[in-house]
Amino acid sequence: MTMYITREVSKLWKKVCMETAVEWKLFKEKWKLLLVGLVCQYIHGLAARGVHYLHRPGPILQDVGFMILPELGKERGHVSENTFGLIFFSFILWTFHPFVYHSKRFYTVLIWRRVLAFLVGSQALRIITFYSTQLPGPNYHCREGSALARLPRPDNVLEVLFLNFPRGVFYGCGDLIFSSHMIFTLVFVLTYQKYGSKRFIKMLAWVTAIIQSLLIIASRKHYTVDIVVAWYTVNLVVFFVDKKLPEMPERTGVSQPLLPMSAKGKDSKSVEEQHKLLNGNSADNADWRQRIQLNGKHLENGGHALPEATMNGGST
């Protein structure tokens, strides 16, 4: 039993090290784009903090969602945050599963580059929207009489730059149209819809997104219009941005490996097994040869074929 555990731990460690080497190579190529995406997350937080200084509490606007859904109140308002936290951290864990699991359909660095692009596009539209019109916040801490509804002039610039974290993040007002929570939720769900492999989890993700929408309204964190606008805006942003971004390489099939294949003999066989591990193929089944489909015909990997567009001089 001890030998079995030791062997499995050794295999797992080997997978993690190999995956880390590949992802590190990609990270060195894409780190600037990732850094821009992270900086934009801070800018979005800074903009949300800034609009709080402009917020003026007033009567809650008439809202169909408020009429239908009873208010959760201050004591149960955490339910929507807990649901969002579950979605957020579940997605993060899923994006890093190639480091551990045998089945691999994407590279972690590349998928986060796409996710950050979707988030930045959606958040840029959000900033323009909530600075265009400030609505009176419906949440309990944004209503008339609350000490948090209006912010006094900051004592220094650091109070603004540091976002008064974490209090300023959880008790913001004025950044309503459209919901930031729904931006993250829908981007995560749409990403899993495209790159995930479990049909049941895809269905569960959409159901959870709907539940999250209702909980946000019931918590009075947003008006119903904030949720409705988020649903169609984020979907459109993801649709158009996804078309502009280059498609991610497949980790299975005939995609080019990221590790060099220059070794010979026993070393060549070892490197080949590493490629099979990285691409989610079994390293034990050495005689298995993958087939690809080209123009309705199946060719062995041993053969070399070019797509028809390439042979005709077209671009790939």
Side-chain angles (χ1 to χ4, degrees):
M1 184 64 180
T2 304
M3 293 181 61
Y4 173 78
I5 295 176
T6 303
R7 184 170 64 250
E8 292 302 314
V9 170
S10 177
K11 288 181 179 179
L12 178 61
W13 177 247
K14 185 178 180 181
K15 287 181 183 178
V16 172
C17 292
M18 292 170 57
E19 190 70 23
T20 301
V22 173
E23 295 285 356
W24 177 247
K25 181 179 179 181
L26 286 171
F27 179 78
K28 288 190 294 184
E29 296 175 358
K30 311 294 184 183
W31 71 269
K32 293 181 181 179
L33 296 173
L34 296 174
L35 180 61
V36 169
L38 293 176
V39 170
C40 287
Q41 297 308 300
Y42 170 74
I43 294 175
H44 173 255
L46 195 63
R49 175 68 174 174
V51 80
H52 195 165
Y53 289 100
L54 303 177
H55 177 257
R56 297 296 178 266
I60 298 177
L61 304 180
Q62 184 173 340
D63 189 280
V64 174
F66 293 176
M67 298 177 185
I68 298 174
L69 297 173
E71 184 175 358
L72 292 178
K74 182 179 179 179
E75 295 75 16
R76 294 177 293 175
H78 63 86
V79 176
S80 66
E81 291 296 332
N82 292 341
T83 304
F84 176 75
L86 177 63
I87 296 171
F88 188 88
F89 289 108
S90 296
F91 181 80
I92 291 178
L93 289 175
W94 171 71
T95 60
F96 283 91
H97 86 271
F99 284 83
V100 179
Y101 281 80
H102 186 69
S103 176
K104 311 171 192 293
R105 300 188 64 183
F106 57 81
Y107 296 99
T108 300
V109 169
L110 297 184
I111 203 165
W112 272 106
R113 184 186 66 162
R114 299 182 86 82
V115 168
L116 287 172
F118 299 153
L119 291 175
V120 170
S122 301
Q123 290 166 343
L125 294 176
R126 180 175 189 258
I127 292 172
I128 295 173
T129 306
F130 66 62
Y131 267 103
S132 299
T133 303
Q134 289 90 46
L135 302 179
N139 209 347
Y140 70 90
H141 65 269
C142 299
R143 299 173 187 174
E144 290 181 298
S146 172
L148 301 173
R150 302 179 64 171
L151 289 181
R153 290 178 61 88
D155 297 329
N156 53 66
V157 68
L158 293 179
E159 183 179 338
V160 179
L161 295 178
F162 289 156
L163 309 179
N164 194 22
F165 187 85
R167 188 180 184 85
V169 175
F170 292 107
Y171 294 99
C173 298
D175 56 327
L176 292 173
I177 302 178
F178 43 97
S179 171
S180 178
H181 283 63
M182 289 310 301
I183 290 178
F184 280 92
T185 299
L186 291 172
V187 166
F188 293 167
V189 171
L190 289 167
T191 302
Y192 187 85
Q193 178 69 29
K194 183 173 183 178
Y195 298 106
S197 58
K198 304 297 184 182
R199 185 177 180 182
F200 171 75
I201 297 181
K202 292 180 181 182
M203 296 175 59
L204 181 62
W206 284 113
V207 172
T208 306
I210 295 173
I211 294 174
Q212 174 70 12
S213 302
L214 298 176
L215 287 174
I216 291 174
I217 298 173
S219 300
R220 303 301 189 256
K221 290 178 170 35
H222 281 277
Y223 291 104
T224 305
V225 66
D226 306 337
I227 306 302
V228 173
V229 172
W231 269 90
Y232 65 74
T233 302
V234 175
N235 275 277
L236 288 174
V237 169
V238 170
F239 176 78
F240 286 108
V241 174
D242 190 58
K243 283 184 171 296
K244 295 296 183 181
L245 293 175
E247 189 54 66
M248 292 200 304
E250 292 286 344
R251 300 207 63 171
T252 57
V254 293
S255 60
Q256 294 296 322
L258 292 178
L259 290 178
M261 292 288 288
S262 59
K264 297 182 179 180
K266 293 182 179 180
D267 293 337
S268 177
K269 183 177 180 181
S270 175
V271 172
E272 182 180 355
E273 290 179 354
Q274 291 180 4
H275 284 299
K276 291 179 180 179
L277 282 173
L278 284 172
N279 292 331
N281 299 325
S282 173
D284 297 329
N285 191 0
D287 295 331
W288 184 82
R289 291 187 299 175
Q290 197 169 19
R291 296 171 178 267
I292 60 173
Q293 188 172 5
L294 182 62
N295 295 332
K297 297 180 181 180
H298 287 84
L299 299 178
E300 297 286 353
N301 272 357
H304 298 279
L306 292 176
E308 184 177 353
T310 305
M311 292 189 291
N312 293 335
S315 61
T316 55

